[in-house]
Amino acid sequence: MKASLLFLLACTAVLAVGARADAPEEPKALVQKVQELAQIATAMAKDVYSRARDSEAMRQARQWLSDNAELVKQRLVRLREELAELLKKTPAA
């Protein structure tokens, strides 16, 4: 994620230089253009961070499921056995 963020900041710097080339003599326009580009870069950084966080949560969920799948299977087998024994003990009507 650090590499993506650094890449994003580098792109912002390149865009700022491009904005300066578009408006070399208009400081207000340049400041506004850089602010717009910074807002776009911030939105992109938030999106990248959100995706990374979401993928980390998904990875942890998959890990939890894989770690506990065998335990769940064992409990289901035990429950099925207990249910079968309970049905054997109940008198037939």
Side-chain angles (χ1 to χ4, degrees):
M1 185 171 125
K2 288 181 182 178
S4 299
L5 206 49
L6 289 174
F7 177 72
L8 189 59
L9 291 174
C11 289
T12 303
V14 169
L15 292 172
V17 170
R20 174 121 175 108
D22 288 346
E25 297 174 7
E26 302 172 10
K28 288 182 181 180
L30 175 63
V31 168
Q32 183 177 0
K33 184 78 169 178
V34 171
Q35 286 176 340
E36 290 172 5
L37 295 174
Q39 288 174 349
I40 292 170
T42 301
M44 292 173 75
K46 286 180 181 179
D47 184 48
V48 168
Y49 178 74
S50 175
R51 287 182 189 188
R53 184 183 60 216
D54 291 347
S55 66
E56 176 64 19
M58 293 302 294
R59 186 195 65 75
Q60 288 177 356
R62 284 191 298 270
Q63 182 67 39
W64 183 88
L65 287 171
S66 68
D67 289 348
N68 293 305
E70 190 60 36
L71 179 62
V72 169
K73 288 177 188 177
Q74 292 170 2
R75 288 185 179 173
L76 285 173
V77 167
R78 187 173 39 166
L79 182 62
R80 185 174 35 180
E81 291 169 355
E82 290 174 5
L83 184 60
E85 286 182 28
L86 183 63
L87 289 174
K88 287 178 187 177
K89 290 179 182 179
T90 57

